[in-house]
Amino acid sequence: MTAFIFPGQGSQKVGMGTELAEASVHAHEVFEEVNEALKQDLFALMKEGPESELTMTANAQPAIMANSMATVRVLEKEFGLALSDQADCVAGHSLGEYSALCAAGAFSLTDTAKLLRLRGIAMQDAVPIGVGAMAALLGADIEKASALADAAAEGQVCEVANDNDPTQVVISGHAEAIDRAIEMAKDHGIKRGIKLPVSAPFHCSLMQPAALRMKNALEATSPAAFTVPIFANVTAGRVTDPAEEKSLLVDQITGRVRWRESVLAMREGGLERFVELGGKVLGPMVGRIATDATTVSLVTMEDLENFAKENG
């Protein structure tokens, strides 16, 4: 059994999608459609940069989704491999949950691009620049990371944002609390803490204003039925009901990305193979979580051709 998985923020890089767009008119159409939806030449930014602009949350989120969806579109149109035939479920890391829903038919490409643009802006606006921060804790499991976050908070917000895999947990909150956590990391048996180059403290309670904006946006653009179940970030559970998923997408803004638990839940549900679309970030994480799972990353036309040969 196969899960199709979709990467999140941090997987963007200048040049993304270029090779695919040159090789396939169907990929190019995806980027054109996203440009049209956002009234911006986002694909030019993806191709040429500058990196500082591509990394901005409001650009990075729709760009990563567009890259993933171009990969899905090429699989379907060039190779005749529909997601609903190839995948038994989908999942995505943070914004990747929107890519997963788009791929499974819950949102149109245009609506997904607009939702992610709004999500990026709302998350950026929720906390003034410099007030919040995030750090990756290397060599930390969830227990050590939670204990460190509690110790470093000192009345401020310091919370576990992403439980990525058994060796990496990300914390988020007030900048001073994150700095304290980095200083205290070794005392908590954690190899080290590294501040992340992000412009806002995602997936913590400081994001509440963004959650309210997304709640309103998702009332106006609710997910439709999806072709395969999705494993939701905030519960690490299997979801088939669009109404339930809509409320989980709101909770996801302030809630923890339970990626490690999601992979374990998928593995326990009989999923043996994890296919990452448009990135090479989640595959290595899956390998560290479920060492007996098979992982495949589909980024280039060659990747897609090889996958089609084996699965056509």
Side-chain angles (χ1 to χ4, degrees):
M1 289 171 73
T2 298
F4 273 26
I5 56 176
F6 297 83
Q9 208 155 330
S11 61
Q12 74 278 355
K13 61 174 190 278
V14 173
M16 66 194 291
T18 307
E19 187 254 7
L20 210 57
E22 285 168 359
S24 167
V25 66
H26 300 293
H28 196 265
E29 281 168 0
V30 168
F31 298 124
E32 297 258 292
E33 202 175 316
V34 170
N35 281 353
E36 179 58 34
L38 300 179
K39 301 288 182 272
Q40 172 200 10
D41 195 347
L42 182 66
F43 189 49
L45 183 59
M46 291 164 69
K47 277 195 296 191
E48 294 145 25
E51 191 174 352
S52 56
E53 210 174 314
L54 180 60
T55 304
M56 284 169 62
T57 302
N59 291 324
Q61 295 202 19
I64 292 162
M65 180 279 299
N67 194 45
S68 287
M69 286 310 301
T71 316
V72 172
R73 188 79 65 89
V74 171
L75 262 190
E76 292 184 342
K77 301 287 190 186
E78 301 263 351
F79 300 108
L81 300 180
L83 176 137
S84 53
D85 297 331
Q86 294 295 317
D88 298 283
C89 71
V90 291
H93 191 286
S94 191
L95 81 91
E97 192 162 336
Y98 286 80
S99 309
L101 287 163
C102 181
F107 293 122
S108 70
L109 181 61
T110 293
D111 284 344
T112 312
K114 288 178 177 174
L115 283 168
L116 285 174
R117 167 56 50 84
L118 174 67
R119 184 177 181 269
I121 292 169
M123 290 169 99
Q124 189 60 70
D125 289 352
V127 180
I129 297 272
V131 170
M134 298 179 78
L137 304 177
L138 305 184
D141 59 22
I142 191 67
E143 286 77 19
K144 286 178 183 172
S146 299
L148 173 62
D150 289 345
E154 295 181 15
Q156 291 185 306
V157 171
C158 188
E159 296 164 7
V160 171
N162 303 353
D163 179 7
N164 283 335
D165 67 40
T167 67
Q168 193 208 77
V169 178
V170 175
I171 53 171
S172 183
H174 284 109
E176 299 88 351
I178 298 301
D179 287 340
R180 284 193 293 271
I182 290 170
E183 280 173 29
M184 297 159 67
K186 281 201 167 65
D187 299 337
H188 283 258
I190 293 164
K191 200 188 297 177
R192 63 186 174 130
I194 301 172
K195 211 164 202 179
L196 295 177
V198 293
S199 49
F202 306 132
H203 300 293
C204 76
S205 48
L206 294 175
M207 285 284 120
Q208 193 54 45
L212 291 173
R213 286 175 72 178
M214 285 313 292
K215 187 175 193 292
N216 293 334
L218 288 159
E219 287 299 335
T221 309
S222 295
F226 19 107
T227 53
V228 294
I230 187 163
F231 278 76
N233 283 181
V234 288
T235 59
R238 185 175 180 274
V239 182
T240 55
D241 174 26
E244 182 187 355
E245 177 59 22
K246 178 167 76 170
S247 98
L248 292 176
L249 287 175
V250 177
D251 294 344
Q252 190 219 55
I253 299 283
T254 54
R256 180 185 304 175
V257 175
R258 298 177 183 272
W259 186 252
R260 179 184 60 85
E261 293 172 69
S262 298
V263 171
L264 289 173
M266 286 185 269
R267 190 71 196 83
E268 281 160 23
L271 280 299
E272 298 111 13
R273 183 173 67 156
F274 294 79
V275 180
E276 182 176 1
L277 293 108
K280 295 189 174 182
V281 178
L282 299 179
M285 282 185 202
V286 170
R288 289 190 288 271
I289 299 163
T291 50
D292 58 345
T294 306
T295 59
V296 183
S297 290
L298 304 182
V299 177
T300 65
M301 201 64 178
E302 189 184 354
D303 295 338
L304 291 161
E305 282 166 359
N306 291 337
F307 184 80
K309 272 182 206 149
E310 288 164 22
N311 299 278

